[in-house]
Amino acid sequence: MKAKKSLGQNFLTHRGTLNKILAAANLSPTDHVIEIGPGKGVLTAELLERVNQVEAIELDDRLIPILTEKFPNLKIHHQDALKFTPPKTPYKLVANIPYYITSPIINHFLREQPPKQRPQSLTLLVQKEVAQKICAKPGKLSVLALQVQLFGTPKLIAKVPPSHFSPKPKVDSAILHIEISPE
């Protein structure tokens, strides 16, 4: 199945990068994970092996039957992630998100949610420049960096080259982990 350019799809294909995402997410079997844009389920399969509860938010209707068949115990929300209402119970967000909605996704899950519906952490595959901006130090903070750092501590885990995806994005990527402050 070809990626839909209009949805910003770039499917992760590199095992090493996948392992770095999983390590950064710091998952335990009792964690509840929400994944945005599971695509063909490469990350989803690994999440399901590690935690008891995974929910996926997928907008592309072509992928719903594939995911349903591949993962019968996966709860799938066929909707726009920006319209998703997060649970009131603790969860971690782990995703390879479309780069053009990075800021809206972060704002939706951090700023637009009451404290009980914010994730414990976000582990996201994003455009490298955006990850670097979010992790900037005082004196060089963008609005997005200020918003993120108000809620938690961001860390750039690893840079990811275009060759780790299909199709290859035109930019470098990075694994970004944001640990949310409990207050």
Side-chain angles (χ1 to χ4, degrees):
M1 175 179 303
K2 284 185 77 168
K4 264 192 186 177
K5 198 172 186 176
S6 65
L7 294 178
Q9 291 175 334
N10 297 93
F11 302 120
L12 180 62
T13 58
H14 193 270
R15 185 91 200 152
T17 294
L18 181 63
N19 290 336
K20 287 177 186 175
I21 292 169
L22 294 162
N26 192 26
L27 302 171
S28 67
T30 57
D31 284 333
H32 175 186
V33 173
I34 294 177
E35 180 186 12
I36 298 170
K40 297 175 181 179
V42 172
L43 177 57
T44 314
E46 296 297 327
L47 293 170
L48 285 166
E49 280 188 23
R50 286 169 172 74
V51 302
N52 296 333
Q53 188 178 6
V54 179
E55 290 183 62
I57 307 165
E58 180 56 66
L59 185 59
D60 188 346
D61 52 358
R62 301 173 308 155
L63 294 169
I64 301 299
I66 295 166
L67 292 166
T68 304
E69 185 178 323
K70 208 182 225 183
F71 311 111
N73 53 344
L74 175 67
K75 184 173 183 181
I76 302 170
H77 302 274
H78 182 197
Q79 69 180 104
D80 183 335
L82 298 173
K83 294 185 171 95
F84 178 75
T85 303
K88 291 183 171 116
T89 53
Y91 69 96
K92 294 180 177 181
L93 188 68
V94 181
N96 170 16
I97 58 174
Y99 296 167
Y100 73 96
I101 61 165
T102 300
S103 293
I105 287 286
I106 290 172
N107 282 325
H108 178 71
F109 282 90
L110 294 184
R111 214 177 56 172
E112 296 172 9
Q113 302 305 323
K116 284 190 188 299
Q117 286 177 265
R118 291 183 191 131
Q120 296 171 301
S121 66
L122 295 88
T123 306
L124 306 171
L125 201 44
V126 299
Q127 187 173 335
K128 182 182 82 176
E129 288 76 16
V130 173
Q132 289 170 327
K133 282 181 186 175
I134 288 171
C135 295
K137 300 293 177 213
K140 298 185 180 203
L141 297 174
S142 65
V143 172
L144 181 60
L146 280 168
Q147 288 174 345
V148 169
Q149 292 181 29
L150 181 66
F151 291 100
T153 307
K155 183 178 180 187
L156 196 156
I157 303 298
K159 294 174 184 163
V160 182
S163 61
H164 290 199
F165 300 88
S166 176
K168 293 177 187 172
K170 291 182 170 79
V171 295
D172 285 331
S173 304
I175 300 165
L176 173 70
H177 180 77
I178 306 166
E179 198 64 38
I180 303 305
S181 304
E183 313 78 53

